[in-house]
Amino acid sequence: MIVKFCGATTEAEVTEMAAAGADLVGLWHGVPGGRAELSAARLAGLAAKALAAGRPRPVLVTFSADARALLAVVAAARVPCLQLHGFQPPGTVRALRRDGPPGLEIVKALHLRDGVCLEERLTGAYERAGADAFLLDTATADGRLGSTAEPLADAAVTALADRTGLPFLLAGGLHAGNADDFAGARAHPRFLGIDVDSAARAGDGLLRAGRARAVAHAWRTA
């Protein structure tokens, strides 16, 4: 099972996530107002740190729909994976697949509010455009996306997974104590793993190995 921790802003956090056994680390760029937003240069530096160590693999997490600008960042930072976490249209996925480097992995977030997928009518178009996987996450009532700490309902996750054709990651308020709440999602044949933010952070707001390790262990052994 893949375990991703999101929103690293320091080299120390990248190192801590490696120590925790993380597979992926999310690096934010093009997330206006985001508390973990990185400049392109800073993102490249953290990605280089992860790539040199061999783990965790860096993931560019963005709300941007500018495929050309995103590919410039991908090339400069040599990130192998791009997570489109906003409401980017299928055309952005298509352009990234067409013009991006061979092997670039594209993950498209799908947002659920009260069990309803806000991108429901576009899931097939995302698949045809070349997305490799979906990430199922919460959209809050007040419009927040990402790092909401609000979990989805297992039944809504599995129902959406059944209606789509790609492997999926699960996000939204996941922590060491709620793996059993998602028995359906974990048993789904296209379940890839989890994406965690808040539960891996200490009181100073930074990602910490101890907290991340507890989450990873709980989900991998559930």
Side-chain angles (χ1 to χ4, degrees):
M1 186 185 76
I2 294 171
V3 177
K4 172 177 174 281
F5 294 102
C6 206
T9 58
T10 68
E11 290 189 0
E13 287 176 289
V14 173
T15 300
E16 293 264 320
M17 294 306 94
D23 301 293
L24 305 171
V25 61
L27 305 175
W28 295 14
H29 176 73
V31 182
R35 54 157 178 75
E37 172 72 358
L38 301 167
S39 67
R42 185 62 181 152
L43 182 145
L46 296 184
K49 175 75 174 178
L51 292 168
R55 186 173 184 177
R57 297 171 68 225
V59 179
L60 168 56
V61 179
T62 187
F63 286 0
S64 173
D66 187 336
R68 180 177 296 181
L70 289 174
L71 288 176
V73 176
V74 166
R78 299 191 300 118
V79 291
C81 183
L82 180 58
Q83 179 178 315
L84 300 174
H85 208 85
F87 292 114
Q88 295 94 337
T92 299
V93 176
R94 188 176 302 109
L96 292 168
R97 176 59 64 216
R98 181 190 65 227
D99 301 330
L104 177 67
E105 298 172 18
I106 303 172
V107 177
K108 179 65 188 76
L110 301 180
H111 304 91
L112 291 91
R113 180 183 295 147
D114 297 327
V116 176
C117 177
L118 304 184
E119 298 95 343
E120 179 85 38
R121 66 184 182 85
L122 296 175
T123 57
Y126 286 130
E127 294 177 20
R128 292 189 296 272
D132 294 294
F134 290 129
L135 183 146
L136 311 189
D137 199 3
T138 303
T140 64
D142 60 2
R144 288 180 294 124
L145 305 178
S147 301
T148 65
E150 293 190 13
L152 298 169
D154 187 43
V157 170
T158 55
L160 179 56
D162 285 342
R163 297 195 301 272
T164 58
L166 296 181
F168 70 95
L169 291 159
L170 176 63
L174 305 181
H175 54 77
N178 64 357
D180 289 342
D181 294 341
F182 293 93
R186 289 189 290 105
H188 197 280
R190 288 193 298 279
F191 175 66
L192 286 178
I194 59 173
D195 186 356
V196 177
D197 187 333
S198 303
R201 296 186 182 276
D204 60 5
L206 297 178
L207 297 170
R208 296 296 187 188
R211 290 176 175 267
R213 190 180 295 114
V215 176
H217 176 75
W219 278 79
R220 284 173 170 155
T221 60

